[in-house]
Amino acid sequence: MANDKPVQVKAWNEGWLQVKVPLPFSLRYVNSYVLPEPAGGYTVVDPGLHTPEAVAAWESAFEQEGIAFTDIKRIVVTHQHPDHYGLAGLFQERSGAPVWMTEASHSYAVRMWGEHRELGDKLVALFDIHGMPDELVEGVADNLESFLPCVSPQPSVTYMKAGDPFTFGGIEWATIDAPGHALGQILFYDPVSRTLLCGDQVMPDITPNVSLVPDELDDPLDAFMQSLELLSMLDVSMAFPGHRNPFPKFTERCIELKEHHERRLDSIVDLLNEQDRQPATGFELCELLFGTRHRENKHNLRFAMAETLAHLAYLVKRGRIAQVERDGKLFYSRADRQDGNVAY
């Protein structure tokens, strides 16, 4: 299959390849990393979303680099989001290689896209109780369902565990649990070369989405902030992220991300502290923070809404705002105003 645009492949030290795999939404591409193995063949990290354009890009990249699918010896998925996980099953079919990811990441994938998928229904129910209008809830549900072919076929998965060394590309990597953006996300750190494969946890010029997800962490933003605190202590010469370009100033970026979320938390408190501000639903606060433009893009709306709820959960747990229930919906108000039954 021909690709209309030349695939972007960049060579790094030690024969690494960074392949920019195209995406059909605003992120534009996801980084996949191809690492040569000392005994021959390659490990592929985060192959991307299963679309015809992505498959064509990979075929072009492999032809350009003289690599066959059968040269792939291992497929590593940093986390379960479809733009990282989606092509794992097809790559496994074509290569016969094992797919490695954490059990928590795989559990999300099964609950979202497996035979008895239920997570999508729970997510839109969460949005409903937080005030999202019915027609937008239906649009988000349709958007979630549209990803099913983009993650098919589902791979057979072998589990890895954060904290256990994991070897690929001739490196014994330290594996780091990195929750917040995705429960079960795993990062790979080499203290010798001071190299970090950081998934979507830290990116150079965009902020990772931090979402409240049913049946997972009840305070994902706190987990994310704590993760940034620990990651900022690593000695990193070059970080290889899931999106945008590899970057050197890793600790500084961790600090910037924490400050970004602290400002957003303060903004929510300020909104609710405005004089005569009535209790607001999560959806109303989402649009105050992100605007109304996402109504036309249900993919982005889902992220904006789930991130707003993550910030609200963080503030409620610390007593900075109050959550109240009224007529089957949840509302938020300043901490000294609790109209209704408090429902933490």
Side-chain angles (χ1 to χ4, degrees):
M1 182 186 298
N3 196 13
D4 293 337
K5 298 179 181 178
V7 64
Q8 300 181 64
V9 180
K10 180 172 181 177
W12 291 86
N13 293 339
E14 311 303 329
W16 289 28
L17 300 176
Q18 173 195 0
V19 181
K20 295 184 176 183
V21 185
L23 295 171
F25 36 81
S26 57
L27 283 172
R28 294 179 49 234
Y29 64 84
V30 61
N31 289 323
S32 182
Y33 299 103
V34 182
L35 282 64
E37 294 294 342
Y42 298 87
T43 290
V44 173
V45 180
D46 289 346
L49 189 72
H50 188 176
T51 66
E53 294 77 16
V55 173
W58 272 112
E59 290 172 345
S60 175
F62 281 169
E63 181 180 4
Q64 174 181 316
E65 301 297 329
I67 299 172
F69 275 94
T70 51
D71 293 331
I72 299 171
K73 304 304 179 187
R74 184 186 295 102
I75 301 152
V76 175
V77 180
T78 60
H79 64 290
Q80 66 272 26
H81 293 160
D83 53 329
H84 297 255
Y85 167 82
L87 271 169
L90 181 67
F91 269 49
Q92 186 174 63
E93 281 190 352
R94 293 193 178 188
S95 67
V99 172
W100 290 84
M101 63 192 302
T102 67
E103 187 172 6
S105 283
H106 188 228
S107 172
Y108 175 105
V110 170
R111 289 184 295 120
M112 182 64 83
W113 303 297
E115 181 180 356
H116 304 293
R117 52 189 179 274
E118 60 183 12
L119 183 54
D121 291 341
K122 290 186 175 183
L123 186 62
V124 296
L126 181 71
F127 289 176
D128 175 70
I129 199 172
H130 282 91
M132 183 177 282
D134 290 346
E135 66 275 12
L136 297 181
V137 170
E138 292 171 5
V140 169
D142 291 343
N143 176 258
L144 285 168
E145 190 70 16
S146 73
F147 275 91
L148 185 58
C150 299
V151 296
S152 300
Q154 300 282 323
S156 173
V157 171
T158 305
Y159 295 142
M160 62 174 122
K161 185 178 179 181
D164 292 345
F166 194 78
T167 300
F168 61 89
I171 297 171
E172 184 178 82
W173 299 90
T175 58
I176 302 170
D177 181 36
H181 173 72
L183 184 64
Q185 181 177 216
I186 197 165
L187 310 189
F188 299 93
Y189 176 61
D190 175 27
V192 177
S193 65
R194 299 159 52 226
T195 299
L196 181 69
L197 290 168
C198 54
D200 281 0
Q201 195 73 347
V202 181
M203 293 179 282
D205 52 9
I206 54 176
T207 58
N209 176 256
V210 180
S211 288
L212 188 68
V213 176
D215 301 329
E216 293 199 347
L217 298 174
D218 61 2
D219 194 355
L221 181 58
D222 181 59
F224 182 69
M225 301 278 263
Q226 290 192 40
S227 172
L228 290 177
E229 185 70 30
L230 293 172
L231 290 172
S232 69
M233 300 177 188
L234 293 176
D235 181 13
V236 176
S237 62
M238 186 63 71
F240 290 82
H243 304 277
R244 302 300 197 263
N245 288 316
F247 62 103
K249 295 183 178 180
F250 182 77
T251 295
E252 292 89 334
R253 185 56 182 156
C254 290
I255 294 169
E256 289 173 357
L257 288 171
K258 284 191 67 178
E259 291 173 345
H260 162 81
H261 287 287
E262 288 164 356
R263 288 193 299 271
R264 178 165 291 168
L265 291 165
D266 289 342
S267 294
I268 294 171
V269 174
D270 289 344
L271 282 169
L272 292 175
N273 281 341
E274 288 178 2
Q275 188 174 11
D276 299 327
R277 167 75 65 187
Q278 296 300 307
T281 65
F283 179 74
E284 289 169 338
L285 289 165
C286 174
E287 293 207 320
L288 287 171
L289 290 170
F290 295 101
T292 61
R293 66 189 186 280
H294 294 317
R295 288 183 176 227
E296 306 305 316
N297 185 323
K298 305 307 185 292
H299 179 75
N300 289 343
L301 177 62
R302 170 165 56 94
F303 287 124
M305 182 68 175
E307 177 146 330
T308 300
L309 297 183
H311 284 73
L312 293 171
Y314 183 98
L315 290 168
V316 169
K317 281 185 171 292
R318 284 149 188 83
R320 294 183 65 188
I321 64 173
Q323 183 191 77
V324 298
E325 183 176 350
R326 189 170 63 204
D327 299 326
K329 302 291 184 181
L330 295 178
F331 292 79
Y332 296 88
S333 66
R334 63 178 185 259
D336 62 350
R337 177 175 182 173
Q338 299 183 11
D339 300 335
N341 298 316
V342 178
Y344 290 99

